[in-house]
Amino acid sequence: MGEERYRERASRFEGATAWTLDLSGGPVGPVLPDGCMDLLWIGGRLLVAGPDTRAMTPSVPATGRCAGLRFAPGTAPALLGVPAHELRDRRVELADLWAPDRVRLLADRVAGAPDAAAALEALALGAAARASAPDPLMRYVAERLGAGLTVAETARRAGIGARQLHRRSLAAFGYGPKTLARVLRLRRALALARSGVPYAEAAVRSGCTDQAHLAREMRALTGTTLTAHLGR
């Protein structure tokens, strides 16, 4: 989507990204898996987007603006009070996770704010002050996998066994570390390709075996091709 429609900035909430989207410019394209979870303000409603394992086409109003706060992998479950795997590939009302009366109050605040993204930040910061902290080991795992380390090497450096890593990854990320590694690898490849790096080079630099491997991962995780996605 064009920069004139979509804008993002670093959030006051550590590791998060605040964003806004103008819906008046036509249909919204699919959102690709990124290992993150989002707090959304869409059509006057507070929603939560769980971690995706495939491309999702958002259901949004035809006009107006929406806003969101995109949390780094492993950050949102402690804030929301629900394991990430319970929200995998789902979009749910915040009122399904928190007390409805509390959510109605929060929704009124966001609705009355001049900057919905900033209001979402304030909401998240207030909730974080009362919530438990995210699992620091899983933050480390996400950072290492995002940097291209293998799951085995990440587990070794984290000092954690494979079975425990998988269990804690489900709670923190919504899926196991191998799936998160695949998602983050694809994100690295897409970033390289967008910057003009040839597909074959982007594949190898991101951690794929070759361009054919990247093409298979792109199709499996997004349902489309690199050329079709980047040309959208």
Side-chain angles (χ1 to χ4, degrees), residues 179-202:
T179 298
L180 179 62
R182 290 177 63 205
V183 167
L184 297 180
R185 181 177 60 195
L186 180 62
R187 302 296 295 187
R188 293 194 301 273
L190 287 171
L192 288 167
R194 286 192 196 99
S195 71
V197 176
Y199 291 172
E201 183 181 347

Side-chain angles (χ1 to χ4, degrees), residues 32-37 51-52 71-74 172-173 175 180 183-184 187:
L32 303 191
D34 58 7
C36 300
M37 297 172 62
D52 294 330
F71 299 98
F173 311 129
Y175 29 63
L180 179 62
V183 167
L184 297 180
R187 302 296 295 187

Side-chain angles (χ1 to χ4, degrees), residues 127-168:
R130 299 186 294 272
S132 58
D135 185 339
L137 189 62
M138 292 299 98
R139 293 287 299 275
Y140 174 82
V141 166
E143 290 168 1
R144 295 302 87 207
L145 293 177
L149 265 67
T150 65
V151 172
E153 178 62 15
T154 298
R156 187 189 68 78
R157 293 193 184 191
I160 187 173
R163 188 169 298 180
Q164 187 182 14
L165 174 59
H166 186 81
R167 177 177 58 80
R168 288 169 70 168

Side-chain angles (χ1 to χ4, degrees), residues 2-229:
E3 291 182 3
E4 70 280 1
R5 297 186 61 193
Y6 175 81
R7 297 182 183 276
E8 66 176 40
R9 59 173 172 79
S11 171
R12 292 181 291 134
F13 191 100
E14 183 183 359
T17 298
W19 57 266
T20 58
L21 174 62
D22 181 357
L23 300 170
S24 61
V28 177
V31 177
L32 303 191
D34 58 7
C36 300
M37 297 172 62
D38 287 61
L39 178 63
L40 306 171
W41 175 250
I42 299 178
R45 300 155 60 205
L46 286 169
L47 305 168
V48 174
D52 294 330
T53 60
R54 60 185 185 276
M56 303 285 280
T57 300
S59 176
V60 297
T63 60
R65 298 182 70 84
C66 62
L69 190 61
R70 185 166 64 248
F71 299 98
T75 303
L79 179 76
L80 298 171
V82 60
H85 64 81
E86 293 188 9
L87 303 178
R88 182 174 55 234
D89 293 324
R90 297 178 62 201
R91 304 294 183 263
V92 302
E93 300 277 351
L94 184 60
D96 291 340
L97 308 178
W98 292 355
D101 288 346
R102 177 188 177 194
V103 174
R104 276 193 292 272
L105 259 175
L106 295 171
D108 287 344
R109 291 179 191 171
V110 178
D115 183 342
L120 291 176
E121 288 179 282
L123 186 165
L125 288 167
R130 299 186 294 272
S132 58
D135 185 339
L137 189 62
M138 292 299 98
R139 293 287 299 275
Y140 174 82
V141 166
E143 290 168 1
R144 295 302 87 207
L145 293 177
L149 265 67
T150 65
V151 172
E153 178 62 15
T154 298
R156 187 189 68 78
R157 293 193 184 191
I160 187 173
R163 188 169 298 180
Q164 187 182 14
L165 174 59
H166 186 81
R167 177 177 58 80
R168 288 169 70 168
S169 292
L170 288 177
F173 311 129
Y175 29 63
K178 289 184 179 180
T179 298
L180 179 62
R182 290 177 63 205
V183 167
L184 297 180
R185 181 177 60 195
L186 180 62
R187 302 296 295 187
R188 293 194 301 273
L190 287 171
L192 288 167
R194 286 192 196 99
S195 71
V197 176
Y199 291 172
E201 183 181 347
V204 174
R205 285 174 57 181
S206 65
C208 291
T209 306
D210 52 26
Q211 185 175 339
H213 181 195
L214 174 58
R216 291 193 298 272
E217 288 292 88
M218 185 72 186
R219 178 68 71 178
L221 291 170
T222 73
T224 188
T225 65
L226 273 168
T227 301
H229 174 70

